[in-house]
Amino acid sequence: MAALGLLILGAFVGYIILHGLRKITDWGNPVATINGVLSAAVAGGLFTLISESTQSQIGEDIYFYPVGLGYGALCRGLEWVGDGNINFVKGLHLAAFGLASLLVLLLMFYLPARQALP
């Protein structure tokens, strides 16, 4: 169950980080840059707080956090789906999202796949 929690936490934090970084329009403006970096720093602080406040040992489930980060960032990139224009790169993004979703489901809920990990 810790793996699922860390995956969801990672997906949430990855989504928030990418959202903050995509909102920066002027990289020459230090306030916008600080806001983007601050969102990433707060995300790391949240993970540290969660890992230090738990009573149980997380163990190998900790590796699901970076998987969640990537998955959350991939989800944030799907904002263009409703615009109707799909080109090759958008199609690849959609295919990568589908493949990542299948892999995450496989790793979370199929025990032999999870045991095959190093």
Side-chain angles (χ1 to χ4, degrees):
M1 201 52 142
L4 182 60
L6 286 169
L7 179 77
I8 292 171
L9 177 65
F12 173 74
V13 169
Y15 186 93
I16 296 298
I17 289 172
L18 191 63
H19 180 74
L21 291 176
R22 291 190 94 188
K23 290 295 179 184
I24 297 174
T25 55
D26 182 16
W27 285 93
N29 183 359
V31 173
T33 306
I34 288 172
N35 284 337
V37 172
L38 201 68
S39 68
V42 168
L46 176 67
F47 174 66
T48 303
L49 176 69
I50 295 293
S51 68
E52 291 298 321
S53 66
T54 58
Q55 299 295 332
S56 64
Q57 296 293 327
I58 294 177
E60 293 178 357
D61 292 335
I62 195 77
Y63 297 113
F64 280 94
Y65 181 74
V67 172
L69 281 174
Y71 190 71
L74 196 59
C75 290
R76 174 61 176 97
L78 291 175
E79 65 185 16
W80 50 265
V81 169
D83 69 2
N85 296 330
I86 295 183
N87 59 18
F88 182 70
V89 174
K90 291 178 180 179
L92 282 177
H93 189 136
L94 202 54
F97 175 74
L99 181 64
S101 297
L102 288 175
L103 287 174
V104 164
L105 286 173
L106 185 71
L107 286 174
M108 290 304 303
F109 299 112
Y110 187 60
L111 191 59
R114 194 178 213 182
Q115 291 171 343
L117 292 173

